Every structure is written in C-alpha cells, then in structure tokens.
Amino acid sequence: MTDEELLKEAKDAMEKAYAPYSHFKVGAALLSKEGKAFSGCNVENASYGASICAERNAMTNAVSGGCTSVSRIAIVSSGGGFTYPCGICRQFLSEFMDKDGTVILCDSEKGIKRIPFGELFPFPFDKNSLNE
Ligand code: THU
C-alpha cells in the first residue's frame, strides 16, 4: 500500500470522527508488518478527558485484529495542516512501531511529510526501563 493510499484511508476514517466539542476531526491509518491496514478517528466525550485520539484508536484496532507491529502510520485532520501525534499517542505508538517506522503527515498546501518515528519520539519509556 502506498503512502497516498494510507493517507486516503486516514481521510476516510477522519470523516467518521466524533468531535462535537472541539470540532477538530482527526483520522489515522496504519500499516502492519503483515501488510494489513487499520484506521481510527478521534472519539470525544462530554467528560472531555475521556476522549480518545485517532492514532490510539487505529492502534487498538490493529491489536484487536491481531497485529502488534507497525511500519507506517498516516495522520490527517480537518485543520488542514500537518497534525503531529500528541505526546500520549507517541508513547502509546512507541510500544508497537518498527525501529525504522515512519509517520506520514499531510498539509493541504505543502503536501506530504514523512518523519522517522524515532525522530519524533527518540526516548520512549519502554519495557527495558522497567527492569533497570
Ligand atoms: N486529537 C487526536 O485525535 N490526535 C492527536 O494527536 C491530537 C488531538 C484529537 C483529540 C480531540 O478530540 C481533538 O483532536 C482536539 O484536541
């Protein structure tokens, strides 16, 4: 699957976002090492803190589908600019991203940007930290 196709999956997911409070819709689509695509949108809640980001929803969909290794993730939003994953999502994704995994972002005017996940989140809290 091409980056453009993955971005299209993310846009389709974004259309389903439930964002009646922020009115900011986000969609994410990831490709697993098995070559399967999973997507998710943000789902807000009247108790604001209970809201869930698109990236984590895409990731939990992948795990629920039996996939725990991610090579690429595409993220788009109704804001139109590059939408970087929030800190909690970076930590959450770090558990499953391949070492050389890529984050694909899209700005409606500037086009596609590809960032190595390790550059976006170089020092995750990981399993090894638990044993140190
Ligand atoms: N949001 C995401 O879905 N992903 C992010 O990485 C940042 C923020 C959502 C959460 C909330 O529903 C809305 O965007 C505004 O913060």
Side-chain angles (χ1 to χ4, degrees):
M1 179 175 272
T2 65
D3 290 352
E4 287 75 9
E5 286 167 338
L6 206 57
L7 279 164
K8 169 77 169 69
E9 296 271 325
K11 280 177 191 156
D12 288 347
M14 182 187 81
E15 298 303 331
K16 301 193 180 94
Y18 178 75
Y21 305 105
S22 73
H23 303 290
F24 189 79
K25 297 183 168 195
V26 185
L30 61 83
L31 193 69
S32 76
K33 80 161 184 236
E34 296 85 357
K36 284 191 191 175
F38 296 91
S39 63
C41 59
N42 54 329
V43 180
E44 298 184 344
N45 192 272
S47 175
Y48 287 16
S51 303
I52 310 173
C53 291
E55 297 89 327
R56 274 177 287 151
N57 272 334
M59 194 62 242
T60 56
N61 280 338
V63 174
S64 303
C67 297
T68 54
S69 187
V70 176
S71 54
R72 282 179 279 157
I73 182 166
I75 306 163
V76 295
S77 78
S78 56
F82 294 123
T83 302
Y84 296 87
C86 79
I88 293 175
C89 286
R90 292 181 201 202
Q91 173 63 33
F92 196 86
L93 291 169
S94 73
E95 186 97 11
F96 307 104
M97 287 297 293
D98 292 348
K99 261 193 162 50
D100 56 353
T102 308
V103 177
I104 304 153
L105 306 178
C106 189
D107 177 294
S108 50
E109 285 170 9
K110 295 175 187 155
I112 299 176
K113 182 191 273 190
R114 297 171 179 83
I115 309 170
F117 184 79
E119 226 169 83
L120 210 54
F121 199 54
F123 300 109
F125 181 83
D126 63 18
K127 298 178 196 80
N128 297 325
S129 315
L130 296 172
N131 303 319
E132 277 173 7

